[in-house]
């Protein structure tokens, strides 16, 4: 190691910054975040100070810094973007104060280098490269950013506030260690991360009582209802990925792409629950019951669904039974097929010149009949995104025309949206059905009706496949 990594307390201490530009503003920001009092010396403060400049703990002096200003400083940041001026302040600080000095972009004059910081207060991760490659530090930070959820700080606070209470009922250090390890990996931690603090607190107290009474830990499972998006694995959320990697068993269906399934913890048990249109491998009630049964066995159950679980996903129905059985669950949103298809086909769902509203609708009612809300579908200046409509496409398009829609109204079908084999067929409501039949699309597909479809030609960035992507980039 080339420098001593540590966390310096600067709360209520004086930090002096010279310069009014971007770097100076960033230095002020971080010092203020750590609770310091900041004096900034610069003739003028630039645009980057718009927010920081209003902080009551920051004082701006529109004059040169003097030895007197530096005397009590804990840190002096020289960031005037003028090598000579910065060196002069550095020398002054060395002579007249005991402050730690940092001169921007001049490692040889620095007592310490700036770290790339992942802030999950009270948890913080600082990455240093001894000034060799700040970019590398930033890249590593971005990686960690995806691994460590934003709510981890809450978890650290939650544990911190309960350390003493646990110590009272669990005197042995080794026992407490094991307890915390299990807690961080279990449902209580999940509750905290999901923002359900009251519930977590109750569960924690119940655990304490159990320990006090000498009882063993009751195993309680939980269910994660997770949206996996339309297919491209890059589109799943950080939270989805985390839960996918910690489940004991996963229930998935046809709409979850194989690429996404490779991200699920390898040794998790996999249960296929089907749901192709005519192949209801498992009925809805059976799925709900299975979720309950598995959770009652103490398992962490991942119910993963294509797109968003609450958009034509019956996610609501599946978790009703869980709620009735008081089984803890959480719901993770996903990119719904219409949004994914729109983005990956360059068809904005709303656009000031075309559509001020967008309707997500299904043409596949409960009993497989077309029960469409025609008055809503025919409203002007909107885009209609139809789910589960491929088989009904000819009837649907005919009915659009029969009910008075302009036969030249643009319409498109996006098949296997966001996936490697995505295909887009465009036309009008009079021509689309024939074109789609010719293309022999198999689905899943989204039908998009509205004049925004004309933008596809201009905004399509994906459908050319690998060739359309800038050379050297991979997908
Ligand atoms: N909950 C899902 C929708 C489930 S209904 C969501 O939010 O996206 C199933 C329908 O979604 C399919 O019939 C099809 O209309 C649509 N769909 C799902 N994935 C798709 C994809 N990759 N491309 C196009 N349509 C898709």
């Amino acid at each position: 190691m080339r420098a001593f990594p540590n966390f310096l307390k600067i709360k209520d201490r004086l930090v002096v910054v010279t310069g009014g530009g971007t770097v100076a503003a960033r230095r002020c920001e971080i010092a203020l975040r750590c609770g310091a009092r900041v004096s900034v010396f610069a003739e003028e403060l630039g645009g980057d100070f718009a927010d920081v400049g209003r902080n009551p703990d920051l004082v701006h002096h529109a004059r040169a810094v003097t030895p007197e200003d530096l005397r009590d400083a804990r840190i002096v940041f020289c960031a005037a973007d003028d090598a000579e001026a910065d060196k002069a302040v550095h020398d002054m600080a060395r002579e007249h104060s005991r402050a730690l000095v940092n001169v921007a972009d001049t490692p040889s004059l620095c007592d310490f280098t700036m770290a790339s910081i992942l802030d999950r207060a009270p948890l913080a991760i600082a990455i240093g490269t001894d000034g060799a490659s700040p970019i590398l530090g930033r890249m590593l930070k971005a990686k960690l950013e995806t691994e460590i959820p934003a709510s981890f700080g809450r978890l650290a606070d939650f544990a911190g506030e309960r350390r003493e209470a646990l110590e009272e009922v669990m005197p042995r250090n080794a026992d407490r260690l094991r307890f915390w390890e299990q807690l961080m990996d279990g449902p209580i931690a999940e509750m905290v991360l999901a923002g359900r603090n009251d519930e977590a607190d109750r569960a924690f107290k119940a655990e304490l009582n159990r320990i006090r009474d000498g009882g063993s830990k009751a195993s309680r499972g939980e269910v994660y209802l997770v949206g996996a998006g339309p297919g491209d694995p890059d589109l799943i959320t950080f939270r989805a990925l985390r839960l996918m990697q910690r489940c004991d068993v996963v229930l998935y269906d046809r709409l979850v792409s194989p690429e996404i399934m490779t991200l699920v913890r390898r040794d998790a048990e996999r249960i296929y629950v089907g749901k192709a249109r005519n192949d209801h491998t498992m009925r809805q009630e059976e799925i709900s019951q299975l979720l309950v049964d598995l959770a009652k066995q103490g398992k962490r159950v991942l119910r993963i669904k294509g797109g968003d679980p609450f958009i034509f996903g019956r996610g609501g129905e599946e978790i009703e039974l869980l709620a009735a059985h008081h089984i803890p669950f959480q719901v993770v949103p996903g990119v719904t097929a219409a949004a994914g298809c729109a983005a990956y086909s360059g068809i904005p769902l709303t656009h000031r010149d075309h559509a001020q509203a967008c309707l997500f609708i299904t043409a596949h009612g409960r009993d497989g009949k077309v029960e469409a809300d025609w008055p809503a579908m025919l409203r002007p200046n909107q885009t209609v995104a139809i789910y589960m409509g491929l088989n009904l496409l000819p009837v649907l398009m005919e009915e659009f025309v029969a009910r008075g829609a302009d036969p030249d109204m643009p319409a498109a079908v996006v098949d296997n949206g966001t996936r490697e084999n995505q295909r887009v067929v465009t036309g009008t409501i009079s021509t689309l059905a024939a074109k789609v039949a010719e293309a022999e699309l198999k689905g899943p597909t989204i039908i998009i009706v509205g004049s925004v479809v004309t933008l596809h030609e201009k905004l399509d960035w994906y459908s050319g496949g690998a060739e359309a992507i800038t050379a050297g980039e991979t997908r």
Side-chain angles (χ1 to χ4, degrees), residues 165-182:
L166 182 69
E167 229 172 296
E168 272 170 30
V169 299
M170 215 179 231
R172 275 186 43 197
N173 193 27
D175 290 342
R176 290 201 301 274
L177 216 65
R178 192 152 355 103
F179 174 89
W180 285 122
E181 246 168 39
Q182 279 172 3

Side-chain angles (χ1 to χ4, degrees), residues 230 255 306-308 311-312 336-337 341 387-388 414 416-417 419 444-446:
L255 274 180
D308 181 276
I311 295 183
F312 304 127
T336 190
C341 289
Y387 287 70
M388 296 177 268
V414 183
N416 276 290
R419 301 180 183 181
T445 63
I446 287 284

Side-chain angles (χ1 to χ4, degrees), residues 72-145:
D72 297 324
R74 181 78 148 170
I75 299 178
V76 175
F77 284 114
C78 311
D81 201 16
D82 170 339
E84 232 170 86
D86 281 345
K87 169 86 168 65
V89 177
H90 163 273
D91 294 347
M92 193 191 295
R94 285 263 175 281
E95 194 180 333
H96 299 280
S97 79
R98 289 192 303 174
L100 296 168
V101 184
N102 177 283
V103 182
D105 288 328
T106 319
S108 62
L109 296 181
C110 287
D111 288 326
F112 63 96
T113 51
M114 297 300 288
S116 287
I117 299 161
L118 190 75
D119 184 359
R120 302 282 192 262
L123 178 86
I125 299 175
I127 301 160
T129 59
D130 196 36
S133 175
I135 289 290
L136 192 67
R138 245 174 283 159
M139 279 166 57
L140 202 58
K141 172 192 152 170
K143 265 198 154 108
L144 290 172
E145 198 88 56

Side-chain angles (χ1 to χ4, degrees), residues 22-42:
T22 306
V23 178
R26 297 284 165 270
R27 302 291 192 260
C28 291
E29 242 166 53
I30 188 156
L32 289 167
R33 257 192 356 215
C34 300
R37 291 177 291 121
V38 176
S39 285
V40 54
F41 293 83

